[in-house]
Amino acid sequence: MQYLQWIIKGMAMGAADVVPGVSGGTLAFILGIYERLLAAISGINLTALRLFSRGQWRAFWQQIDGSFLCCLVGGILLSIFSLATLISWLLEYRPVPLWAFFNGLILAALPPLFKVVKWSLPRVGLFGIGILVALSMGLLTPVSFTPELWMFFVAGAVAICAMILPGISGSFILLIVGMYAPVILAVKELDIAILFLFASGCVVGILSFSRFLNWLLKHYHDVSVAFLTGIVVGSVYKMWPWRDENVIYTPAGFAEKFGQHDLMLSVISFIAAVFVMLALLNLEKILGGSASPDKRTAASNKE
């Protein structure tokens, strides 16, 4: 049952990653697997390589938390391939209910998130800074230019770092820095050289940045979580259903300008999302399994 929980949570992350502006890291954070994910990625280090080269498969698998990673990645891929068409259709023809759904997911998860931190004035301040960071990211204007080859490596590193941060979308960062269209073009044209550079940047970025985040969460847990929670709260602004780029509308104002507001469908979608999130947060009880700790031991991450 534990494996099934990880797969389902991976599917939730994959569904979020399909939507531009929504971060799979957000879902990992609010579903309680964020710290374990960072620890698992951080476990892919020199120690893991030595264990692999010596044929110590069991120790290697434990070092990288292989079962957890495989189930999670499998769920992400399953969700991307199964839901991409549906979500793309919703983004084009019914974006308002879709954004309402993701709003419901995040807002329903906030009460448990707030309970994780022992709040103090400095942590409240960091929470506020996190909100401001997310809001400022949402207000940035995309740029456009012709990139050099080396920029694809940097773009991969930056995008993957953004992707594992709650509340910040890797695709949105690519859009802001003007690299989204070139990367998508490379994917469509199967430009192996560019895709290799981009993928290499992703590998370097995720292995280095995950170690930094993992260190922060180990040594400054509540401070880090307070800041990350602020980013999650601030990201709700980007997912307000009735908006056009950076302009926020009421449902009535949106209908006046665009012809319809899908209010009833959005309310239903929001309520459905709340129940979905409550189910995700209580998977252990629903499936009859026991909760497993999100953190791995410090020893498993040391080289």
Side-chain angles (χ1 to χ4, degrees), residues 34-51:
Y34 187 69
E35 293 178 50
R36 183 166 185 174
L37 175 60
L38 291 179
I41 296 171
S42 300
I44 304 173
N45 50 30
L46 292 178
T47 299
L49 291 176
R50 282 196 293 266
L51 292 172

Side-chain angles (χ1 to χ4, degrees), residues 101-174:
F101 183 83
F102 279 101
N103 259 279
L105 286 180
I106 292 178
L107 292 176
L110 288 181
L113 279 183
F114 284 122
K115 294 178 182 178
V116 172
V117 179
K118 294 180 180 178
W119 292 98
S120 63
L121 189 58
R123 290 167 187 168
V124 171
L126 280 169
F127 171 76
I129 292 173
I131 292 177
L132 292 176
V133 168
L135 289 175
S136 62
M137 294 295 294
L139 293 172
L140 292 176
T141 303
V143 298
S144 179
F145 64 96
T146 302
E148 301 289 340
L149 276 178
W150 62 269
M151 293 181 181
F152 287 93
F153 179 88
V154 176
V158 172
I160 199 68
C161 290
M163 190 174 293
I164 61 176
L165 272 175
I168 301 178
S169 164
S171 59
F172 180 72
I173 294 298
L174 288 177

Side-chain angles (χ1 to χ4, degrees), residues 1-11 13 24-25 27-44 58 60-77 164 206 210 214 283-284 290-297 300-301:
M1 286 299 181
Q2 184 69 74
Y3 296 151
L4 181 58
Q5 292 174 32
W6 295 336
I7 291 172
I8 292 173
K9 291 180 179 182
M11 290 181 68
M13 290 177 62
L27 270 296
F29 185 64
I30 63 183
L31 291 176
I33 56 173
Y34 187 69
E35 293 178 50
R36 183 166 185 174
L37 175 60
L38 291 179
I41 296 171
S42 300
I44 304 173
R58 182 182 294 274
F60 167 76
W61 196 249
Q62 292 175 344
Q63 168 71 18
I64 66 170
D65 204 359
S67 297
F68 171 75
L69 275 183
C70 283
C71 289
L72 202 66
V73 172
I76 291 171
L77 294 176
I164 61 176
I206 197 169
S210 63
N214 193 42
L283 272 180
E284 290 83 4
S290 58
S292 61
D294 293 331
K295 294 182 181 179
R296 297 164 64 198
T297 59
S300 67
N301 293 314

Side-chain angles (χ1 to χ4, degrees), residues 40 42 52 54 84-85 108 123 145 151 156 164 166 181 184 232 243 250 269 278 288:
S42 300
F52 184 83
R54 294 170 184 170
T85 301
R123 290 167 187 168
F145 64 96
M151 293 181 181
I164 61 176
I184 292 298
V232 170
R243 61 174 296 173
T250 63
S269 181
L278 291 176

